[in-house]
Amino acid sequence: MPRVLKRIESVVPRRAAGYGGKARGLATLARAGFPVPAAYAMPGWVGDSFFTSVLDMADRPRALLRSAYVTDARLRAIRERVRDSTLPQDVVRSVSDALLAMRDEGAMGFAVRSSAIHEDQEGASAAGMHSTLLNLIREDEVLDGIKMCWASFFQPRVFSYLRALGEDVQVSLGVVIQAMVPAEVSGVLFTCNPLTGDPGEIVINASYGLGSSVVDGRVTPDTYRIDKATGQLRDQIIGGKAQQTVLAPSGGVREVQVESAERERAALSEQHLLHLRELAERIEEHFGGNRDVEWAIAGQQVFVLQARPVVVPHTRGRRASRREQPRDRRKIVWSNANIGEALPGVATPLTWSVLSHFSNLGFRRAFGALGCTVPRDAELVGDFRGRIYVNLTEFTSILSQIPWIHPSALVQLGGGRYASELDEVVARRSSTGFLLRLPQTVTRYVRENFRLQARIAEFEEYFAEERIRMVSVDPRLLEPTGLDRMLSDAEHLLDETGSIMLTAYANLLTAVLVLIGVLRTFAPDAGKGLYRDLLSGLQDVDSARPGFMLWRIAQLAKNEPAAADRIREANNTKLSVKELPAGPTRDALLRFIEEFGYRGVREAEIAEPRWAEDPTLMFAALRSHLAGNLDLGQRESRLARARQDAEQKVEAHVPLLLRSAVRRLLDAVRRFTRMRERLRGNVVEVLGMFRRVALESSRRIRAREPEAGPDAAFFLSVAELRRVLHDDNERVAIRVQRRRLEYERNKALPEPPTTFVGFPPAETMSIPKSRRLHGLAASGGVAEGRARILRDPRQAADLAPGQILVVAAADTGWAPLFLAAAGVVTELGGPLSHAAIILREYAVPAVVNVTNATRALQEGDWIRVDGDAGTVEILGA
């Protein structure tokens, strides 16, 4: 007769199918010499035999799976019968012998874990579906624990999962009895980044006590990201660690509070991190793929408790970066000064998976258009504490190929701060290849510009057709395959839209660099505002249109008292357009929503609602215009005069023979600026299509996994979401819960610096005490008024005319408030940012890239914004 229990290292992995996924994984680790606690594995046939002896034929697993419907009450009764039945004597004797052997080796308590054949597979994990019991002391407790593992098979969610796997699924449930590790520190590690799919880093979560609190998301652990190539930390976040799970002397576990001083300390020492890094690389190499590893440290010994496959996002060809001479990550300069304006704050996993690929591809295309080569393994973007950053060190190295442009010029155009560490790489890149390619680069630039307008016209016709087709589809009516096709269509449309937008942006960047070179050469003393004045009042800039249109709608409402009063009265309550009285104002707003409803604050974040869903900011702008007396015609005249004066200055300084060429160059910069803003709107509209798929997918996920919550799809990558749509047996609730906790944790952390070296500092940046703050001049003019600090669009309801709007990042979704404000101050952004372009169109004085503006300024401070000098001065409280 086959043995009821086998020592874990005597289980042969390739013959271990009947023992279940968990046992097979532990056997593989143990036989390879990894530090696995003493354990015994019980094959699934033992449970099958037990079910045969204690359950009626109709109540056995296979029969229940064939039943059309099984009530929860019936399953509950079967679970009770399994738990109340007596185990066979051969099982009791085998367990007794195994416990005695492990006690002889020093075990004081035991864990009983399920090991189903259908769990811990490459394609289906079934994680968390079956029971795990910890720190069982007595033999009878272990025997009861085995029956509880078997009984956990008879749960509604398990049968739903198994039915989705199909009729041929194996339904046996093995068991692992494992010596408890009295862990001082424990957690999980991933041999690649489970969110971004980056194979070049190891992610470790650690906390005090047993790892169950980390796995279940009951504690905020420390997070360490380690670079595989160098072994250096990419980032380190000290979690709250407010409590820990420990072994209770009488059996079981209990929660205890962690001393305040201990919470603030790192749970892992440098030596621990070194051991875990080496362990992660060995496990990954042994299994030949990514692994999610549960580990524990007792004394100075690191134990591996479990290793299962980890599903990572599709990385589109990404690979671990292993340069011949790995770059010292402690000297890499990271910045989100410009990219953070487009996507400020913490990104959800879905948004990160979409935009990280989009950004990486876009930067490569932009550099290529400039004639620069980009190393295949270049790490252009990264995430820190959920925020997206660009690698300025890599950027500077690439841009140093252009001999007549110092990389600092591009860094500053984007709003970044040029750190001295960047100079170390500038001299190391040769310009030879760039110069050899220059004729081809110029030829390509001329050729693309010659047909770019026609190409954009063709694209816009195609985009309009695709928009109508996709918007006309109701995702609620689609089969999963249809919803997956809709997701694929959105991906394809984003690639097409992004490709042409980035072509326009690369051309804009090239033209701007040449224009700056011309101005520095021929008009160095003409004034810092010359460049801004030349690019002000462009007219027909798409991203500025919503603000202008809302101002005109406010003028309509002034002639329609009932509508105006309704808008004013709804200051602190939610108001929908359809609640307005019928008339011109309501009709105009409905047209506004139809045309611009896809836009919103933080509109690059797919999880954020759009104006059509939450019109709070839209009505705030209307209220401000109703209370004010803005003369738009006067502003437009002032802009036109400033632009004409700037053009005359350039004409006066540029040699006669070059004036025609400079005029054409200036026209090109303006044309490309308009193109980029229009195409940016198309990108945002496509992201709205992703949102529609995500909302419907979230509804479906919640229907089969209520514990996943109402927004589950936003906490999955595109690849993971596609997996859910393709495979009804894919369960994501635990993954979603962990990521949601991490997302909330990242949001609660202090905002990392706009630019930093190595990885963000653990401490909060000090708030500047000076009464004069410095940033980048974005839109000319001077304004004085009360500071109105907004951290959330829902706070915009009572923005008053004459106030200075102060925000961390002013993306296009804030634009309706720009025109209503006397001035604008932002912490992020640069002269080429979308916000700066819009602000110049509105002739609103603005300073961007003001470090810690939302903390250095207080609500209600009387401040002066000098959009020419790039300063913000506190005049009084």
Side-chain angles (χ1 to χ4, degrees):
M1 183 176 178
R3 291 166 61 184
V4 170
L5 282 173
K6 267 192 177 183
R7 184 81 178 200
I8 196 69
E9 55 265 35
S10 68
V11 175
V12 180
R14 67 176 180 274
R15 299 174 187 165
Y19 286 86
K22 194 175 280 92
R24 184 174 61 252
L26 283 170
T28 304
L29 290 165
R31 290 169 70 89
F34 289 98
V36 174
Y40 283 80
M42 180 181 290
W45 67 260
V46 179
D48 296 341
S49 177
F50 181 71
F51 295 154
T52 299
S53 66
V54 302
L55 297 177
D56 295 335
M57 179 75 75
D59 290 341
R60 295 171 193 167
R62 183 59 65 186
L64 290 171
L65 282 174
R66 287 195 293 264
S67 300
Y69 177 68
V70 181
T71 66
D72 292 356
R74 183 179 174 189
L75 289 174
R76 187 163 52 249
I78 296 172
R79 291 198 298 273
E80 291 175 1
R81 201 178 316 150
V82 170
R83 288 195 296 263
D84 293 342
S85 298
T86 302
L87 287 170
Q89 281 304 304
D90 60 334
V91 173
V92 174
R93 284 194 301 271
S94 297
V95 170
S96 180
D97 291 344
L99 298 184
L100 181 61
M102 286 190 283
R103 282 197 175 100
D104 286 345
E105 296 175 30
M108 302 294 292
F110 307 93
V112 177
R113 305 174 185 270
S114 66
S115 180
I117 293 177
H118 53 266
E119 71 178 341
D120 288 357
Q121 305 295 316
E122 294 286 348
S125 69
M129 281 200 173
H130 300 289
S131 292
T132 292
L133 299 103
L134 301 177
N135 198 30
L136 306 178
I137 304 296
R138 303 189 311 272
E139 181 178 308
D140 63 311
E141 291 177 332
V142 174
L143 295 172
D144 286 342
I146 292 170
K147 290 189 291 182
M148 290 181 71
C149 278
W150 285 339
S152 70
F153 187 92
F154 299 94
Q155 299 179 88
R157 63 176 182 174
V158 174
F159 275 85
S160 173
Y161 177 85
L162 292 173
R163 284 195 178 96
L165 285 174
E167 294 184 0
D168 297 332
V169 62
Q170 298 185 60
V171 294
S172 291
L173 187 65
V175 175
V176 172
I177 305 173
Q178 192 174 46
M180 282 298 301
V181 175
E184 297 150 14
V185 179
S186 54
V188 295
L189 68 80
F190 301 89
T191 61
C192 69
N193 190 308
L195 177 58
T196 67
D198 185 351
E201 74 176 18
I202 298 163
V203 178
I204 300 173
N205 292 328
S207 191
Y208 301 123
L210 302 181
S212 56
S213 58
V214 176
V215 173
D216 297 341
R218 288 180 285 112
V219 69
T220 305
D222 295 346
T223 300
Y224 307 84
R225 294 169 51 200
I226 301 175
D227 184 67
K228 284 182 181 175
T230 64
Q232 296 167 0
L233 276 172
R234 291 189 178 184
D235 198 6
Q236 172 181 304
I237 304 171
I238 305 302
K241 306 190 296 294
Q243 60 187 26
Q244 61 176 316
T245 305
V246 299
L247 304 180
S250 58
V253 298
R254 61 191 179 94
E255 303 290 328
V256 299
Q257 294 297 307
V258 176
E259 295 293 331
S260 297
E262 291 298 315
R263 298 177 192 180
E264 298 174 3
R265 294 188 185 131
L268 295 174
S269 66
E270 290 187 12
Q271 193 65 28
H272 288 150
L273 285 172
L274 176 62
H275 287 166
L276 288 171
R277 173 202 163 199
E278 293 173 346
L279 186 66
E281 292 181 341
R282 285 173 53 210
I283 288 176
E284 183 179 56
E285 183 177 0
H286 183 76
F287 282 96
N290 302 310
R291 282 300 182 271
D292 167 358
V293 181
E294 292 182 28
W295 53 269
I297 298 175
Q300 291 302 312
Q301 175 69 52
V302 178
F303 293 93
V304 180
L305 307 180
Q306 185 170 308
R308 61 164 67 95
V310 54
V311 179
V312 299
H314 179 46
T315 57
R316 303 192 189 217
R318 288 181 68 181
R319 59 183 180 179
S321 175
R322 296 190 180 276
R323 301 171 183 261
E324 289 183 9
Q325 294 182 331
R327 179 169 287 151
D328 188 344
R329 300 194 68 86
R330 293 168 296 187
K331 295 184 178 180
I332 293 179
V333 181
W334 296 92
S335 176
N336 72 342
N338 197 11
I339 201 167
E341 182 231 14
L343 182 57
V346 180
T348 57
L350 179 62
T351 298
W352 169 259
S353 71
V354 172
L355 292 188
S356 60
H357 168 71
F358 178 79
S359 300
N360 186 69
L361 182 61
F363 287 133
R364 288 179 179 275
R365 286 172 174 165
F367 287 135
L370 290 172
C372 299
T373 58
V374 182
R376 290 184 62 187
D377 62 350
E379 184 184 2
L380 300 177
V381 296
D383 80 295
F384 291 88
R385 301 170 192 184
R387 286 95 169 161
I388 188 167
Y389 279 77
V390 297
N391 184 341
L392 285 189
T393 300
E394 196 79 75
F395 275 40
T396 303
S397 180
I398 294 167
L399 291 169
S400 66
Q401 298 170 67
I402 306 177
W404 57 82
I405 295 291
H406 195 277
S408 62
L410 272 180
V411 171
Q412 290 162 4
L413 269 178
R417 301 187 184 278
Y418 192 80
S420 59
E421 287 84 354
L422 294 173
D423 287 323
E424 296 180 17
V425 298
V426 171
R428 290 212 294 261
R429 296 301 298 268
S430 170
S431 298
T432 303
F434 172 84
L435 294 172
L436 290 173
R437 289 188 301 274
L438 189 58
Q440 293 92 332
T441 302
V442 172
T443 301
R444 183 177 65 248
Y445 178 79
V446 172
R447 184 176 64 248
E448 286 186 354
N449 275 280
F450 180 76
R451 64 177 304 274
L452 184 59
Q453 197 71 46
R455 183 183 168 197
I456 288 179
E458 293 170 4
F459 165 78
E460 287 183 336
E461 183 178 346
Y462 158 76
F463 185 87
E465 292 173 356
E466 284 294 285
R467 178 203 292 124
I468 292 171
R469 181 182 68 81
M470 294 185 70
V471 169
S472 66
V473 175
D474 187 344
R476 296 172 298 178
L477 305 179
L478 295 176
E479 294 291 326
T481 52
L483 200 58
D484 179 59
R485 279 196 300 274
M486 192 173 183
L487 181 61
S488 295
D489 288 345
E491 283 192 289
H492 176 70
L493 192 56
L494 182 64
D495 280 346
E496 291 287 323
T497 309
S499 173
I500 196 162
M501 185 193 80
L502 292 163
T503 299
Y505 184 61
N507 287 334
L508 171 63
L509 202 57
T510 304
V512 164
L513 287 173
V514 175
L515 178 61
I516 289 174
V518 168
L519 296 179
R520 286 178 176 173
T521 301
F522 297 109
D525 303 320
K528 293 182 178 179
L530 183 60
Y531 170 81
R532 293 191 304 277
D533 289 341
L534 287 170
L535 298 183
S536 296
L538 302 182
Q539 302 175 349
D540 296 328
V541 173
D542 268 41
S543 49
R545 287 179 59 213
F548 287 134
M549 188 174 289
L550 285 175
W551 179 84
R552 295 187 182 98
I553 293 173
Q555 308 319 300
L556 279 177
K558 287 180 179 179
N559 298 318
E560 203 176 350
D565 290 344
R566 186 73 184 91
I567 292 170
R568 291 190 190 99
E569 290 166 1
N571 193 356
N572 294 311
T573 60
K574 278 201 170 184
L575 175 68
S576 72
V577 175
K578 292 182 179 179
E579 293 177 62
L580 294 176
T585 302
R586 175 179 166 176
D587 292 342
L589 281 172
L590 287 172
R591 288 193 297 272
F592 179 89
I593 290 292
E594 185 177 348
E595 186 170 359
F596 298 110
Y598 63 87
R599 308 218 75 142
V601 173
R602 294 191 75 232
E603 58 193 9
E605 170 52 67
I606 299 171
E608 288 289 335
R610 276 36 184 165
W611 290 341
E613 301 168 74
D614 182 0
T616 300
L617 188 135
M618 184 179 78
F619 281 116
L622 287 173
R623 272 190 294 276
S624 185
H625 289 316
L626 286 171
N629 54 359
L630 170 64
D631 188 336
L632 206 55
Q634 187 182 54
R635 284 198 183 186
E636 289 175 350
S637 299
R638 191 168 70 248
L639 275 178
R641 285 196 302 272
R643 188 174 65 253
Q644 290 169 3
D645 289 345
E647 289 172 353
Q648 290 172 2
K649 284 183 182 179
V650 172
E651 293 257 342
H653 287 82
V654 172
L656 181 63
L657 291 175
L658 294 178
R659 287 177 189 174
S660 177
V662 171
R663 279 196 293 269
R664 287 196 298 273
L665 174 63
L666 187 54
D667 287 342
V669 172
R670 291 167 175 169
R671 185 172 70 253
F672 291 143
T673 299
R674 293 189 190 97
M675 283 182 187
R676 186 186 73 150
E677 292 304 296
R678 185 164 70 250
L679 292 165
R680 160 68 192 261
N682 295 146
V683 168
V684 173
E685 198 163 0
V686 178
L687 294 178
M689 297 172 188
F690 279 95
R691 178 170 171 79
R692 294 180 71 212
V693 174
L695 288 170
E696 174 57 20
S697 300
S698 295
R699 186 188 68 78
R700 299 184 187 195
I701 292 170
R702 190 182 193 184
R704 68 190 188 195
E705 293 184 273
E707 62 272 28
D711 55 355
F714 297 106
F715 293 93
L716 301 173
S717 69
V718 169
E720 291 167 335
L721 181 54
R722 178 162 284 120
R723 192 184 183 97
V724 168
L725 295 174
H726 273 292
D727 190 353
D728 286 342
N729 64 27
E730 181 73 7
R731 291 298 181 266
V732 296
I734 292 177
R735 194 182 318 164
V736 166
Q737 289 167 355
R738 289 182 190 170
R739 288 182 182 172
R740 191 181 288 113
L741 286 168
E742 183 177 7
Y743 175 78
E744 294 300 330
R745 188 272 308 273
N746 284 335
K747 283 177 65 177
L749 290 171
E751 195 75 26
T754 300
T755 303
F756 59 84
V757 182
F759 60 89
E763 67 277 2
T764 304
M765 288 187 66
S766 60
I767 301 174
K769 300 187 182 302
S770 172
R771 297 186 70 82
R772 175 170 291 192
L773 309 178
H774 295 271
L776 298 176
S779 180
V782 177
E784 291 186 13
R786 296 286 179 194
R788 181 72 175 93
I789 301 172
L790 297 184
R791 295 179 173 85
D792 188 290
R794 287 167 293 193
Q795 299 172 331
D798 56 352
L799 178 72
Q803 289 183 327
I804 307 293
L805 179 63
V806 183
V807 292
D811 66 0
T812 307
W814 287 99
L817 291 185
F818 295 169
L819 196 56
V824 174
V825 178
T826 77
E827 292 181 343
L828 299 177
L832 280 184
S833 68
H834 299 283
I837 291 169
I838 297 169
L839 286 160
R840 289 195 289 268
E841 287 300 290
Y842 292 164
V844 175
V847 180
V848 301
N849 217 257
V850 181
T851 302
N852 285 326
T854 58
R855 289 189 292 159
L857 300 173
Q858 300 296 315
E859 184 73 25
D861 279 350
W862 189 266
I863 61 176
R864 174 186 290 138
V865 176
D866 190 331
D868 296 307
T871 60
V872 179
E873 188 174 357
I874 304 172
L875 302 177

